[in-house]
């Protein structure tokens, strides 16, 4: 279970030793709730045992925290949920047609390069895409923000590109609903993704070669060397 934190300043990379000393209350609460639901009985013993299991899991198997730099926009969140429900109905209808039809579907595995560079948006986009019938996220590369999807039916022309465009549209709605202004601007203009400090991550301009100091000219005639150099003298 990954902890979600509000980032206010850039921090160094989290090592496993450092992460073990960090309490993750959201992860512990989620594991405790799942523990109580598995036992199907609400009691103090199950709650205490769930909290202990959550502490054990988060300290024994720590995961890096996900930084969140944006803010919640309720109207954008409602649009995100509404569009997801529309996509859910459409995908269910297509799968039902394939199930009762005589045509054998043509499957494919595609790669989708996301534009954001955030584990938070990567996770939300992958979850929203995986919940739709007919598409399964088989791998997610957090280092490059790439999703690998298995598609159920790509028989018609342009189906693969349409699915890529759909995944990018889901990512765009997620960032618009939860992202910061810098992140939304970077996504809309295809600019550099903001870093943890909030800047755009532009690298400093490289110095022009013409501004470099001139190298000293090599001597036209090298000075003669002593032929006895490097030899043993008597």
């Amino acid at each position: 279970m990954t902890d979600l934190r509000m980032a206010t300043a850039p921090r160094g990379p989290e090592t496993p030793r450092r992460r073990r000393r960090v309490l993750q209350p959201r992860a512990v609460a989620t594991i405790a709730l799942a523990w109580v639901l598995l036992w199907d009985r609400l009691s103090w013993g199950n709650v205490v045992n769930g909290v202990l299991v959550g502490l054990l899991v988060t300290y024994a198997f720590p995961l890096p925290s996900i930084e969140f730099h944006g803010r919640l926009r309720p109207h954008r969140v409602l649009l995100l949920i509404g569009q997801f429900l529309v996509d859910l109905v459409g995908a269910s209808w297509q799968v039902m047609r394939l199930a009762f039809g005589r045509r054998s579907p043509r499957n494919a595995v595609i790669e989708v390069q996301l534009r954001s560079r955030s584990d938070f948006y990567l996770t939300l986009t992958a979850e929203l895409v995986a919940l739709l019938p007919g598409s399964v996220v088989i791998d997610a590369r957090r280092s490059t923000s790439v999703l690998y999807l298995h598609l159920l039916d790509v028989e018609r022309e342009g189906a693969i590109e349409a699915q890529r465009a759909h995944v990018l549209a889901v990512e765009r709605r997620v960032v618009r609903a939860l992202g910061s202004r810098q992140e939304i601007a970077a996504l809309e203009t295809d600019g550099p993704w903001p870093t943890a400090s909030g800047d755009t991550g532009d690298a400093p301009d490289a110095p022009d070669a013409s501004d470099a100091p001139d190298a000293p000219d090599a001597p036209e005639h090298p000075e003669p060397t002593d032929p006895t150099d490097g030899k043993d003298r008597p």
Side-chain angles (χ1 to χ4, degrees), residues 4-45:
L4 178 64
R5 302 179 187 174
M6 299 294 294
T8 57
R11 299 181 305 168
E14 289 183 325
T15 62
R17 183 182 299 274
R18 179 180 176 182
R19 291 199 298 264
R20 287 192 180 95
R21 296 195 296 265
V22 176
L23 178 63
Q24 300 180 0
R26 295 182 181 88
V28 173
T30 303
I31 295 176
L33 177 61
W35 180 269
V36 173
L37 293 177
L38 287 175
W39 282 97
D40 195 19
R41 181 182 179 184
L42 181 59
S43 64
W44 286 109

Side-chain angles (χ1 to χ4, degrees), residues 60-142:
F61 307 100
L63 291 176
S65 60
I66 295 180
E67 305 293 349
F68 178 63
H69 307 281
R71 64 184 183 88
L72 181 66
R73 296 175 176 83
H75 64 288
R76 293 288 186 180
V77 173
L78 293 177
L79 291 176
L80 174 65
I81 297 175
Q83 186 61 46
F84 170 74
L85 295 178
V86 173
D87 295 339
L88 183 63
V89 173
S92 301
W93 171 251
Q94 293 179 1
V95 172
M96 185 179 67
R97 290 182 56 187
L98 289 174
F100 290 97
R102 298 181 179 180
R103 180 174 59 88
S104 299
R106 178 186 176 186
N107 304 331
V109 176
I110 67 172
E111 172 187 349
V112 182
Q113 174 66 62
L114 300 183
R115 288 166 291 188
S116 63
R117 292 296 182 268
S118 169
D119 293 344
F120 183 55
Y121 304 134
L122 172 68
T123 303
L124 288 181
T125 303
E127 291 293 338
L128 292 175
V129 172
L131 289 175
L132 297 178
S135 60
V136 179
V137 178
I138 58 178
D139 192 12
R141 302 289 178 85
R142 59 176 302 206

Side-chain angles (χ1 to χ4, degrees), residues 1 24 27-36 38-39 45-61:
M1 188 62 62
Q24 300 180 0
V28 173
T30 303
I31 295 176
L33 177 61
W35 180 269
V36 173
L38 287 175
W39 282 97
N46 287 338
V47 172
V48 172
N49 291 335
V51 172
L52 293 178
V53 171
L55 291 173
L56 177 62
V57 170
T58 54
Y59 275 85
F61 307 100

Side-chain angles (χ1 to χ4, degrees), residues 147-160:
L147 294 180
Y148 294 91
L149 280 71
H150 179 273
L151 304 181
L152 181 60
D153 185 25
V154 292
E155 186 68 27
R156 61 184 178 87
E157 184 179 359
I160 293 179

